[in-house]
Amino acid sequence: MEKIVVANRGEIAVRVIKTARKMGIKTVAVYSEVDRNAPHVKLADEAVCIGPPPSSESYLKGDVVIEVAKKLHADAIHPGYGFLSENAAFAEAVEKNGLIFIGPRPHAIRVMGSKLAAKEAVKKYNIPMVPGIDEAITDVEKAKQIAAEIGYPILIKASAGGGGKGMRVVESKEVLEEQMKRAISEATSAFGDGSVFIEKYVESPRHIEIQILADTQGNTVHLFERECSIQRRHQKVVEEAPSAILTPALREAMGQAAIKVAKACDYVGAGTVEFLLDEKNNFYFLEMNTRLQVEHPVTELITNLDLVEQQIKIANGESLAFSQEDLSIHGHALELRVYAEDPLNDFLPSVGTLEVYRPPSGEHIRVDDGFKEGMEIPIQYDPMLSKLITWGKTREEAIQLMIQAIQDFDVAGVQTTLPFGSFVFEHKAFRKGTFDTHFVKKYYTKKGDQQQVTAAAEVAAKVALHVHLQELKKLRLSK
Ligand code: MV4
């Protein structure tokens, strides 16, 4: 592989380009009109403008990206995450044009893109799944019958869904019909596919996912778990590896289940198998993400592997250079997603110019970003500014370093989720590891956050006063 097109923008485009360079592979950036001066454009060996700012007219234009790759004689396309990364038709078109798609085969993307198809595929592999049905349902009476069998509360899910869209909790049979109709209509308008199914609702789950790698020779390994329970409205904010609560036995069981899920769809490349973990530590397969994920760095820091490098080697037909026995967990890693959002204003995007942007640096601090000071934050895309990642020999060390790194991160011009990060990492429940997916809803109030801001301001005022008085003293003494 000599040249790859990076079909993405922002931090992940920068991330992919850096590894390609390390491997001596040339890179081509594609960009929209609003990204002309973006870091990924400057970093790549070549860059091609592919259209106007809206994603639908630029970063989602698969045919245009393929044209660029052919014209510039690239060998492969790395899709990053989002945009074209989980588009089976795109992966297929890439292959048909004689190029390499750095990711799984179209078949795996297609199967895992449908929750019902995914359930069907893993059925014969004995993977624990939440009690429920594995086919689309439209008949309300039949739904009531099934719900009575599994017991309320139940959850109605859209087969094509993602990010919680088309999902409805149903507490009793009286509201089932209404909720089912809503789920179907939501799924139809959001995905053009109104297929819904029913599962037992797991009330206080943790979200644990397993990273896997599979080569074209049939070797599949897992790279342990990431804990992603700290999220708000299906948007992850904090991730860590390993989880604070998995035992070696549970880790091994989940790892083996993840490998079986990967085998069930003939997976190739880097992928992630999502599980729910209930209060009794039962785990259930949810879905598989057929891409490199935003939170992959925490896995890199505990395994000392470069996942983009692994993706490229696998796409190049190389077999994995290690087996499961060679892998182990080193220390603990945390990631905070720094969004240009205002935590005091319901996390609404905070638009504007990055007047000040000075990320922290130092040993065991990693910042993955795609912005520079002075840049305007385009409103057309995801408002994630950067990922702040820390590593420690222990979880406690990683947390302390993270709290320090957040304080040292200077951003002005827009509001960010940095103070929200401090709230999480200082929280007792987080420190103890006793949290689930309801953490933010349960503990985070604007008032609490404002109190923290006020407390910090008070400390700052006291320090300023103290310094001022010292200066006065010095002045008097020097007279
Ligand atoms: C669930 C669940 C409880 N019970 N399924 C949310 C998005 C999709 N990936 C699956 N999701 C869930 N499925 C059953 N049977 C709770 C969630 C869920 C969730 C899962 C992972 C991370 C955060 C979440 C937040 C709310 C609900």
Side-chain angles (χ1 to χ4, degrees), residues 1-69:
M1 215 181 274
E2 283 169 19
K3 194 195 268 193
I4 66 175
V5 171
V6 181
N8 215 297
R9 63 178 303 283
E11 68 90 16
I12 197 62
V14 170
R15 164 78 193 81
V16 171
I17 293 169
K18 281 183 179 164
T19 287
R21 291 195 129 182
K22 182 179 89 178
M23 297 173 75
I25 299 169
K26 293 246 178 303
T27 54
V28 180
V30 292
Y31 62 94
S32 77
E33 285 160 14
V34 77
D35 277 341
R36 202 167 288 278
N37 297 310
H40 79 279
V41 175
K42 295 196 175 141
L43 204 59
D45 297 298
E46 294 168 89
V48 182
C49 182
I50 52 167
S55 307
S56 58
E57 294 173 47
S58 50
Y59 296 106
L60 286 170
K61 287 259 178 210
D63 49 347
V64 177
V65 172
I66 290 170
E67 276 314 303
V68 168

Side-chain angles (χ1 to χ4, degrees), residues 115 119 130-131 153-157 161-165 167 169 197-208 228-236 274-276 284-287 289 436-438 441:
K115 295 201 175 70
K119 276 181 187 250
V130 186
I154 56 138
L155 189 62
I156 303 176
K157 285 185 178 180
K165 265 202 201 114
M167 240 173 56
V169 180
F197 60 99
I198 291 174
E199 278 181 1
K200 173 88 190 155
Y201 179 56
V202 182
E203 301 202 41
S204 304
R206 295 173 77 114
H207 172 138
I208 308 250
C228 307
S229 298
I230 311 282
Q231 51 81 43
R232 58 169 300 282
R233 298 199 201 139
H234 306 288
Q235 165 107 283
K236 293 168 187 163
E274 286 188 16
F275 295 96
L276 286 182
Y284 309 100
F285 167 63
L286 263 191
E287 55 194 83
N289 298 319
D436 56 41
T437 51
H438 303 301
K441 201 167 56 190

Side-chain angles (χ1 to χ4, degrees), residues 277-294:
L277 189 69
D278 73 11
E279 286 152 306
K280 292 180 190 145
N281 280 359
N282 297 305
F283 65 89
Y284 309 100
F285 167 63
L286 263 191
E287 55 194 83
M288 181 168 192
N289 298 319
T290 57
R291 60 171 188 274
L292 182 72
Q293 290 195 257
V294 176

